[in-house]
């Protein structure tokens, strides 16, 4: 099979670019020759809109790195006969691990403790107490692959688990709450694992944060758009909630500088899935899906 050209619709991580370049000619969106490509590669954070598809009438596959599809216009892809592959399974366990890490970071103040020691403040006294997690309530928003993996881990560390989502799942072993505000009122820690997009935009607003309350903790490994950041900053600065562990923001990487001054916020650079193992699995999945498309084989098509 001849060497094919692949269009990069986003700035690709070097490991992915190197893996693609070993088998394909990779062109940027600005390259004139890229207009004739059948295959495009993007990331979940950049996606592909209808205009990008219309500009490339020969496009037949968009391979996206990541689980999120909210930045890809699936309707436009479907209408144009463009298949969309992504990597929904490969990062589940590592993202769930990181969510639990952020819970500990926010409640047991791990990042803050590190700063306390490095600044020499331990020589002058002890840190004030953190918050125990044992027997506390973990409310998971979105019980998909990642949300269910988080719920299992939270139960395993002695937390009581509840959840909410678009519809009840009778097979789920944890109680369902009718909406985010109701779950937030019940929970001690509210963990966001829901997809992004218009339907979930600002799902966690001032009302939900007020329901979580001054002893509550918010953890977000979903999308920054799920949270009303202005309301979150006000709650963190004014004691409306106790703390937050955040891996995603409304504007990345240029997050609101007010977050940087908050001792009660553990901040991460959209890092939950970045392990050696998950990176290798994601890249292998993308290469398999592209090869299957070229060979006329089967692969999961999110636009089908």
């Amino acid at each position: 099979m001849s060497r094919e050209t692949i269009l990069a619709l986003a700035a690709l991580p070097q490991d992915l670019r190197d893996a693609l370049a070993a088998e394909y000619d990779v062109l940027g969106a600005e390259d004139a020759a890229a207009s004739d490509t059948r295959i495009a590669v993007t990331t979940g954070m950049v996606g592909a809109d209808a205009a990008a598809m219309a500009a490339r009438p020969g496009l037949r596959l968009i391979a996206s790195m990541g689980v999120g599809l909210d930045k890809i216009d699936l309707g436009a892809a479907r209408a144009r006969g463009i298949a969309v592959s992504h990597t929904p399974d490969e990062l589940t366990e590592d993202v769930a691990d990181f969510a639990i890490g952020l819970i500990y970071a926010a409640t047991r103040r791990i990042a803050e403790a590190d700063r306390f020691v490095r600044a020499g403040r331990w020589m002058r006294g002890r840190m004030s107490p953190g918050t125990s997690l044992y027997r506390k309530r973990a409310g998971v928003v979105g019980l998909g692959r990642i949300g269910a993996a988080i719920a299992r881990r939270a139960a395993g560390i002695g937390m009581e688990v509840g959840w909410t989502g678009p519809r009840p799942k009778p097979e789920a072993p944890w109680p369902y709450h009718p909406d985010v505000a109701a779950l937030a009122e019940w929970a001690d820690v509210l963990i966001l694992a829901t997809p992004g997009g218009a339907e979930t935009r600002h799902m966690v607003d001032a009302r939900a944060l007020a329901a979580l309350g001054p002893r509550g903790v918010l953890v977000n490994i979903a999308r920054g758009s799920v949270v009303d950041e202005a309301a979150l900053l006000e709650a963190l600065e004014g004691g409306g909630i106790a703390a937050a562990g955040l891996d995603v923001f409304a504007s990345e990487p240029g997050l609101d500088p007010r977050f940087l001054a908050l001792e009660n916020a553990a901040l991460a650079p959209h890092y939950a899935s970045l392990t050696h193992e998950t990176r290798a699995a994601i890249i292998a999945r993308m290469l398999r899906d592209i090869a299957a498309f070229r060979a006329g084989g089967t692969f999961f098509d999110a636009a089908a």
Side-chain angles (χ1 to χ4, degrees), residues 79-165:
R80 291 182 171 276
I82 301 171
V84 176
S85 69
H86 66 142
T87 58
D89 304 303
E90 285 70 20
L91 48 71
T92 296
E93 303 303 331
D94 280 340
V95 173
D97 282 346
F98 201 80
I100 297 299
L102 284 176
I103 295 173
Y104 276 112
T107 60
R108 299 306 310 272
R109 303 166 63 189
I110 293 170
E112 186 181 350
D114 178 84
R115 293 191 296 271
F116 185 88
V117 172
R118 291 177 188 276
R121 285 181 280 165
W122 193 10
M123 301 295 293
R124 302 191 297 273
R126 302 276 292 185
M127 278 181 63
S128 57
T131 299
S132 174
L133 286 176
Y134 183 58
R135 293 182 177 172
K136 292 296 195 303
R137 293 174 169 180
V140 180
V141 180
L143 202 68
R145 294 177 181 84
I146 294 172
I150 293 169
R152 289 192 297 271
R153 284 161 171 75
I157 60 174
M159 300 187 77
E160 183 181 352
V161 175
W163 71 282
T164 193

Side-chain angles (χ1 to χ4, degrees), residues 14 30 69 100 194 231:
Q14 194 61 48
E30 71 287 347
L69 293 166
I100 297 299
T194 189

Side-chain angles (χ1 to χ4, degrees), residues 192 200-207 209 218 220 223-235 250 259:
L192 310 182
T200 60
R201 178 174 170 76
H202 290 188
M203 174 183 281
V204 176
D205 55 11
R207 174 171 169 260
L209 293 168
L218 178 73
N220 190 4
R223 285 287 187 264
S225 61
V226 175
V227 179
D228 180 343
E229 263 191 15
L232 174 59
L233 282 162
E234 184 176 342
F259 281 115

Side-chain angles (χ1 to χ4, degrees), residues 6 49 70 94 99 128 142 200 207 211 221 224 238 260 266 277:
I6 285 183
D49 59 17
D70 49 295
D94 280 340
S128 57
T200 60
R207 174 171 169 260
I221 49 81
L260 305 181
E277 295 82 359

Side-chain angles (χ1 to χ4, degrees), residues 136-143 151 160-170 172-191 203 207 211-212:
K136 292 296 195 303
R137 293 174 169 180
V140 180
V141 180
L143 202 68
E160 183 181 352
V161 175
W163 71 282
T164 193
R167 64 195 64 83
K169 295 183 177 182
W174 310 287
Y176 176 79
H177 295 254
D179 55 42
V180 172
L183 181 65
E185 186 170 8
W186 173 85
D188 298 297
V189 181
L190 189 68
I191 308 143
M203 174 183 281
R207 174 171 169 260
L212 187 57

